[in-house]
């Protein structure tokens, strides 16, 4: 495996089996018409607010500059509700790569210059869950993330896969061979 970038990552005897990326197409399942319309209304209101505030504060005083900026949080919220979450998901998937070796599953991301490479062991005790969609997902780990109410469980895996059955079958074979 010389020169392929994996020399310092793979353990002795570990081999790369598969690499891929999630399908970057928009996933509209979580977006509702009601949420989109609400987001568009908030966006329109915030743009109206900022335009009017700019006209009122055209004297370039401190308040004339700050008052229009008070609409920015509402603009961001409105855009997010109108479909920003979907656009963010597309962007994240375009900057995510998956790899499967004879021992581990890797998820690599390059988001705003911050690169991460997370590895998850795949063994006989690894709980594998295959969700056939579309989109298809293979879940193989969990962790907990902090929330305002405490924490919640987050599933980790290869998401939005176009060839999930072949990858899932490879992972199950790895589990059987490790017994």
């Amino acid at each position: 495996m010389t020169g392929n970038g994996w020399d310092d990552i793979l353990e002795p005897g570990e081999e790369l089996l598969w690499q891929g990326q999630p399908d970057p197409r928009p996933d509209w399942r979580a977006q509702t018409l009601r949420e989109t319309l609400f987001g568009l209304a908030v966006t329109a209101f915030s743009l109206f607010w900022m335009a009017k505030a700019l006209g009122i504060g055209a004297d370039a005083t401190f308040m004339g500059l700050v008052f229009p900026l008070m609409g920015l949080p509402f603009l961001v919220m409105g855009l997010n509700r109108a479909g920003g979450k979907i656009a963010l998901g597309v962007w994240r998937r375009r900057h995510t790569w998956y790899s499967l070796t004879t021992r581990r599953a890797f998820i690599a991301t390059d988001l705003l210059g911050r690169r991460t490479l997370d590895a998850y062991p795949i063994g006989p005790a690894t709980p594998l869950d295959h969700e056939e969609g579309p989109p298809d997902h293979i879940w193989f780990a969990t962790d907990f993330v902090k929330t305002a109410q405490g924490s919640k469980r987050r599933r980790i895996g290869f998401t939005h896969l176009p060839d999930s059955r072949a990858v899932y079958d490879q992972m199950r074979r790895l589990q059987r061979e490790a017994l």
Side-chain angles (χ1 to χ4, degrees):
M1 294 212 158
T2 312
N4 66 5
W6 287 92
D7 294 339
D8 295 336
I9 298 168
L10 298 182
E11 298 169 352
E14 187 175 15
E15 295 178 28
L16 189 60
L17 298 175
W18 172 85
Q19 288 186 300
Q21 262 190 294
D23 183 350
R25 289 181 293 184
D27 184 356
W28 297 101
R29 293 176 307 142
Q31 189 75 15
T32 64
L33 180 61
R34 175 186 236 169
E35 185 175 26
T36 302
L37 293 175
F38 177 76
L40 291 173
V42 171
T43 299
F45 172 77
S46 66
L47 290 172
F48 174 77
W49 169 278
M50 293 184 337
K52 284 296 195 181
L54 273 173
I56 293 170
D59 57 3
T61 64
F62 176 74
M63 281 308 290
L65 296 173
V66 172
F67 202 53
L69 296 177
M70 293 175 143
L72 278 178
F74 297 99
L75 178 64
V76 170
M77 183 187 81
L79 290 172
N80 188 46
R81 296 287 294 268
K85 290 183 278 190
I86 292 170
L88 183 60
V90 167
W91 179 77
R92 278 188 178 153
R93 287 190 296 277
R94 287 183 186 204
H95 294 89
T96 299
W97 297 267
Y98 302 139
S99 299
L100 178 65
T101 72
T102 52
R103 297 182 191 156
R104 298 179 283 176
F106 290 91
I107 301 175
T109 59
D110 186 359
L111 304 172
L112 298 174
R114 182 173 180 254
R115 292 180 171 184
T116 63
L117 179 63
D118 298 314
Y120 303 92
I122 303 296
T126 303
L128 289 179
D129 185 15
H130 184 214
E131 273 182 32
E132 294 186 272
D136 292 2
H137 310 296
I138 302 172
W139 306 108
F140 47 76
T142 58
D143 70 355
F144 290 89
V145 292
K146 289 185 181 184
T147 65
Q149 295 81 25
S151 66
K152 72 175 187 175
R153 187 176 141 218
R154 179 180 62 141
R155 298 172 89 186
I156 299 170
F158 296 158
T159 65
H160 297 83
L161 285 181
D163 57 349
S164 69
R165 174 53 63 187
V167 176
Y168 179 74
D169 289 345
Q170 274 190 314
M171 295 173 100
R172 296 291 292 160
R173 186 173 38 77
L174 287 174
Q175 287 184 313
R176 285 190 302 274
E177 289 172 359
L179 291 174

